[in-house]
Amino acid sequence: MHAKSCHTRFCSIWQIKKPCRKKDKPQQENTQAPAAKESPASAEEVDATNTSNVASSGKSWSMQTDGSIDWFRLSPTGKLIAGTNQGLVGIEPNSGKVAWKHEFLKNISRTNYNPISGSPFIAIVTGSIFNMQQVILDVSSGKIIANTTELGMKMVNKRYTVPSLGGILFSGYLNNQPSLVFIDAASGEKKWVLSKVFDSNSEVMAAKPLADGSNTMLIATNKRLYKIDVSSGNVIWKADFKTSIEEGTLATEVAEEVDEKESTKADEKKGGLMKSLGGLAKVPGLGSVGSAAGAANSAGKMGAMGGSMKDGAAVSADAAYGKFLILDNQPNVVYYYSNQQMSAFDRSTGAPVWQTVKFSDPVSQVLYDERGFLIATDDKRADLMLLDYKTGVQKWKPVSLRGRVTALKLKGNSLAIASAKESGNNYINIVDMNSGSTAAKSDMKVSGYVMDIKQNNSGLIYRTDRELNIQDPATGKDVWQKALQYKRGGIGVDKGNKSYFFADNQLYLMDNDSGEYKAISKSLKFGGDETPNAIELREKGILVSSSQNMALFDWEGNLIYNIYQKAPGTSLANKIMNVTAIAVSAGNSASHGFQAGLSGPNTTSYNSNMAASDRWSNIGSAAFSDMKRRFTASQDAKNYKTILTSVDNGEDSGYGLVRVNKDTGKIEGKVVLNDKKPDYISDDTDNLVFLKDGNKNLIGYKL
């Protein structure tokens, strides 16, 4: 999975709706906040930073494709990929020369181009809705790894990767029989074919397979679970377990993140993210992608699905409706869960280890605590339960929550929890992990979206995009009679036992143990009336930024620099889209808010079995070398921010990009794009910019 900065914290924004204020709040009897908000001086909007003294980079290259460019994107190996009406084209980023071209892949929609996570491979869906085929391609060399038509498959309905075995599994029809075909991703060699494995022709694969050693594989269909010896084709064991593919994908399986970048106009023709969220649908024979719990997670992967059934089938080809788990603390057991139920089986025999647990609502979170599986369901009213690893028995009566879980923080045996309802109301409470009892009799309502929650001796600290206060769980009342209230803001980042957060144009510092806070900066209003949406720790202090603004404060709150570049006519629709994308990304998983005590990916109870299964085995290729180089280079790219703005370069002026050093605030690069509505990709890793100029031309710049 692509690495992200651990400093930026958006713990629990869930949806874009107008926050509901508290109503009929009980009379406060507690003390005032330890430190009152300082009255900020009138904040004046900053002037745009002058870029006239920065030299503009000229064109590095210009090239013309044979056909019209429908879309273009940047691959994880650094190659540019262009979909045209004359074929799929790979382009060298430094020279603009055509590296490879496949004419039989012409008019491929961007939705049918599916990058495979953590690899240089892409899967391209071809054919009709009743004759789906797959082409696996190495984007670096252009080599066709596999073509299911050439493999003899008449119909392919599912494709899943098995990284630990270095291969890709196709499910479909071979010689008119339902079959599984496994190919080696390095050579394209057909490693094995299994036919007549499933008991019924109506069975469809429903989850990503899990390799159990080098010769056996766990497979789930909509009706059963199987353990298969792939060397002999024998079924070692099977167990009845229905996985519904009609009620949407598994919310816990966040869409695989790929290190690819689409151009800025990729979503325009089909309506972008907002239309994608509304257009998710059930595909006959393949299942439903995105309904109920899975919608937000599927949106990023689906792109602009629109109404095309073929596009829908392409997206659902590797959708997950269930998940296998093998944990370090129970190595002889394989767990499996779907949106409706969870069970455990003996890894060797398939015999049930504990009775299946049914869920009343779809699963939204499955997390791994030393006490057992912590599971949250997702609907109008959610439940939180704890299942014993060995028996499946619920350790305490399910805790009813008022909405979907959006943030969790563990301190000892106390679990602070935030939830949100579809109406926009947000709630907090504390659950005792040993007993399941809640500190407050009912969830406590707060104003605005919860950005962070913490526990201290006074109660439960909550910071939303509207206020900061502490709730006393025993009384359900705010500890401070007067909360720190602000019109907008609330983003924050932790440094030890301190929190820095930005609200109403000021930087605040809070001691998490005492709850005491103070404004440490002078008032600074972002240019363009933007609201800060990112905060991170830098070596010299705290960086607060938005689309067009950057401000670095030292640890005492003194302003080191601020940069503002005017937005080049960004439409209101685009502004809404940007905010929506942030919300969907930030609210994907409450596990982002987990702290010490709760297990999850990259922890000892989970890591060695599950993380290893997601790592590609040693595939020696130039493409993997390219990916490794770019990953190393991308660490330095995190020290820069690229901003789209209006730039001036003497006689040459117009829309363009500037590259800003986060630590110094210095503008170190500038490119003029000469296009009022540029369709471009900024490669922050290699400091390149690629602009689509007309229907057939691409231009490369060095930023």
Side-chain angles (χ1 to χ4, degrees):
M1 183 168 284
H2 178 59
K4 292 184 178 179
S5 170
C6 62
H7 299 311
T8 303
R9 301 282 178 88
F10 293 113
C11 289
S12 57
I13 304 174
W14 184 43
Q15 52 194 357
I16 301 297
K17 288 185 179 180
K18 184 177 179 181
C20 296
R21 308 297 296 177
K22 292 180 185 175
K23 296 180 180 180
D24 301 324
K25 204 172 179 181
Q27 184 68 32
Q28 303 294 331
E29 300 174 356
N30 297 305
T31 61
Q32 195 155 325
K37 176 181 177 182
E38 298 178 5
S39 299
S42 178
E44 296 183 1
E45 184 172 314
V46 298
D47 294 327
T49 305
N50 192 331
T51 65
S52 61
N53 61 339
V54 181
S56 178
S57 299
K59 298 178 183 178
S60 296
W61 53 262
S62 179
M63 65 90 68
Q64 186 178 73
T65 59
D66 293 336
S68 297
I69 302 171
D70 297 321
W71 52 266
F72 70 110
R73 61 197 300 160
L74 183 67
S75 76
T77 68
K79 283 283 194 304
L80 270 180
I81 312 297
T84 79
N85 63 355
Q86 296 298 313
L88 190 69
V89 184
I91 302 166
E92 295 290 354
N94 292 307
S95 65
K97 294 181 179 179
V98 173
W100 51 263
K101 180 180 178 181
H102 293 295
E103 294 183 357
F104 79 101
L105 295 175
K106 60 184 179 182
N107 294 319
I108 297 296
S109 74
R110 51 181 287 273
T111 309
N112 287 358
Y113 175 104
N114 301 153
I116 295 177
S117 179
S119 81
F121 308 125
I122 55 173
I124 300 170
V125 176
T126 64
S128 68
I129 185 66
F130 299 109
N131 182 29
M132 303 299 294
Q133 297 293 334
Q134 305 257 340
V135 175
I136 308 298
L137 175 72
D138 182 322
V139 292
S140 189
S141 66
K143 177 183 177 182
I144 301 292
I145 303 298
N147 186 331
T148 55
T149 301
E150 295 178 356
L151 291 174
M153 301 189 74
K154 294 266 180 93
M155 169 70 179
V156 179
N157 53 34
K158 287 294 182 180
R159 175 200 72 250
Y160 292 106
T161 60
V162 191
S164 62
L165 297 184
I168 301 170
L169 181 66
F170 299 102
S171 173
Y173 285 85
L174 182 67
N175 299 324
N176 294 321
Q177 289 185 332
S179 302
L180 300 175
V181 179
F182 187 76
I183 62 115
D184 181 271
S187 65
E189 177 187 356
K190 187 190 296 183
K191 301 294 287 187
W192 47 262
V193 175
L194 301 180
S195 299
K196 299 182 179 179
V197 173
F198 303 149
D199 288 351
S200 168
N201 288 349
S202 62
E203 289 189 61
V204 179
M205 289 185 67
K208 186 175 181 178
L210 180 63
D212 188 3
S214 59
N215 291 314
T216 58
M217 189 178 294
L218 294 159
I219 290 175
T221 72
N222 54 328
K223 297 184 177 182
R224 296 172 186 85
L225 308 179
Y226 296 85
K227 185 172 183 178
I228 301 170
D229 184 327
V230 298
S231 60
S232 65
N234 293 329
V235 174
I236 299 172
W237 57 257
K238 58 185 175 182
D240 290 338
F241 190 105
K242 290 185 178 181
T243 301
S244 173
I245 60 174
E246 308 298 321
E247 298 181 13
T249 49
L250 205 60
T252 60
E253 287 296 89
V254 178
E256 287 186 338
E257 187 172 349
V258 291
D259 192 15
E260 289 230 351
K261 220 172 183 182
E262 293 192 305
S263 70
T264 51
K265 289 188 177 180
D267 282 324
E268 281 195 0
K269 290 183 180 179
K270 295 184 180 180
L273 177 62
M274 298 298 284
K275 188 168 183 179
S276 295
L277 287 169
L280 313 189
K282 185 175 77 173
V283 181
L286 297 177
S288 177
V289 180
S291 63
N297 291 333
S298 300
K301 189 172 185 177
M302 292 192 66
M305 175 176 170
S308 167
M309 294 298 288
K310 179 180 174 182
D311 288 354
V315 173
S316 64
D318 63 344
Y321 305 92
K323 184 171 184 176
F324 288 106
L325 293 167
I326 298 175
L327 305 183
D328 293 355
N329 55 6
Q330 297 292 322
N332 298 320
V333 177
V334 55
Y335 301 93
Y336 181 83
Y337 67 90
S338 67
N339 271 327
Q340 295 78 31
Q341 54 187 344
M342 183 176 194
S343 196
F345 305 89
D346 185 279
R347 191 169 169 181
S348 300
T349 67
V353 173
W354 37 267
Q355 188 174 351
T356 298
V357 177
K358 304 282 187 179
F359 305 132
S360 57
D361 293 311
V363 172
S364 65
Q365 298 292 332
V366 175
L367 300 157
Y368 318 99
D369 180 58
E370 61 184 11
R371 306 163 185 82
F373 288 112
L374 186 68
I375 296 175
T377 59
D378 177 23
D379 208 337
K380 294 181 180 179
R381 188 176 180 88
D383 285 334
L384 185 72
M385 62 191 74
L386 186 67
L387 304 183
D388 184 88
Y389 286 125
K390 294 183 178 180
T391 65
V393 172
Q394 297 188 35
K395 292 198 167 184
W396 26 260
K397 183 180 177 181
V399 176
S400 294
L401 304 173
R402 299 178 71 176
R404 182 185 181 186
V405 174
T406 56
L408 298 165
K409 291 288 182 69
L410 186 67
K411 183 180 181 182
N413 293 320
S414 296
L415 179 68
I417 187 165
S419 60
K421 298 190 73 172
E422 291 183 4
S423 62
N425 294 340
N426 283 252
Y427 301 88
I428 57 174
N429 211 330
I430 296 175
V431 176
D432 187 302
M433 288 289 289
N434 290 327
S435 66
S437 60
T438 56
K441 292 182 179 179
S442 62
D443 293 347
M444 302 170 285
K445 189 175 178 182
V446 297
S447 297
Y449 311 118
V450 177
M451 296 286 197
D452 195 19
I453 49 177
K454 290 181 173 69
Q455 299 177 65
N456 67 7
N457 293 332
S458 300
L460 180 54
I461 304 174
Y462 66 90
R463 186 178 70 246
T464 75
D465 65 340
R466 292 302 180 93
E467 69 176 8
L468 170 74
N469 210 326
I470 302 177
Q471 288 266 22
D472 180 353
T475 64
K477 297 180 180 179
D478 287 337
V479 172
W480 304 335
Q481 186 175 5
K482 186 177 181 181
L484 170 61
Q485 294 183 327
Y486 35 86
K487 292 183 179 180
R488 57 184 181 176
I491 59 171
V493 62
D494 290 342
K495 186 175 186 291
N497 67 339
K498 308 287 186 183
S499 290
Y500 290 89
F501 64 95
F502 200 82
D504 278 357
N505 307 323
Q506 283 191 294
L507 183 67
Y508 287 81
L509 175 64
M510 182 176 73
D511 183 288
N512 297 330
D513 294 330
S514 66
E516 294 183 355
Y517 66 87
K518 61 179 179 181
I520 61 173
S521 76
K522 294 182 179 179
S523 186
L524 175 68
K525 185 177 181 181
F526 272 18
D529 197 32
E530 284 193 333
T531 299
N533 58 19
I535 186 169
E536 62 182 277
L537 300 177
R538 305 296 303 174
E539 184 178 353
K540 295 180 180 178
I542 304 96
L543 178 69
V544 182
S545 60
S546 62
S547 174
Q548 306 298 131
N549 290 264
M550 298 168 63
L552 182 65
F553 300 90
D554 67 19
W555 304 114
E556 285 71 45
N558 301 306
L559 183 66
I560 298 175
Y561 74 77
N562 67 278
I563 293 290
Y564 166 51
Q565 295 290 284
K566 287 184 178 180
T570 303
S571 68
L572 176 62
N574 281 337
K575 289 182 179 179
I576 294 173
M577 291 276 287
N578 291 338
V579 173
T580 304
I582 290 170
V584 170
S585 174
N588 267 340
S589 174
S591 62
H592 291 173
F594 269 46
Q595 288 188 334
L598 273 178
S599 306
N602 301 320
T603 58
T604 55
S605 69
Y606 182 92
N607 191 58
S608 66
N609 277 303
M610 297 310 301
S613 71
D614 291 327
R615 285 195 295 267
W616 285 90
S617 60
N618 295 328
I619 300 178
S621 73
F624 273 96
S625 297
D626 288 342
M627 290 183 65
K628 184 177 180 181
R629 179 196 65 79
R630 282 181 59 83
F631 176 78
T632 301
S634 70
Q635 305 311 299
D636 180 64
K638 295 177 183 178
N639 295 322
Y640 294 86
K641 179 178 175 67
T642 302
I643 301 175
L644 177 67
T645 184
S646 297
V647 296
D648 182 23
N649 187 37
E651 297 180 358
D652 191 13
S653 61
Y655 288 2
L657 298 166
V658 295
R659 183 172 182 258
V660 187
N661 187 308
K662 288 183 179 181
D663 291 320
T664 65
K666 182 180 178 181
I667 296 176
E668 297 185 359
K670 181 174 71 173
V671 165
V672 180
L673 299 179
N674 289 322
D675 191 332
K676 290 186 177 181
K677 295 182 179 180
D679 190 9
Y680 72 94
I681 297 173
S682 174
D683 179 5
D684 300 327
T685 299
D686 287 331
N687 302 327
L688 300 171
V689 177
F690 311 104
L691 173 70
K692 180 184 174 186
D693 182 25
N695 291 328
K696 293 186 176 182
N697 296 325
L698 286 175
I699 300 173
Y701 300 87
K702 183 71 176 180
L703 182 58

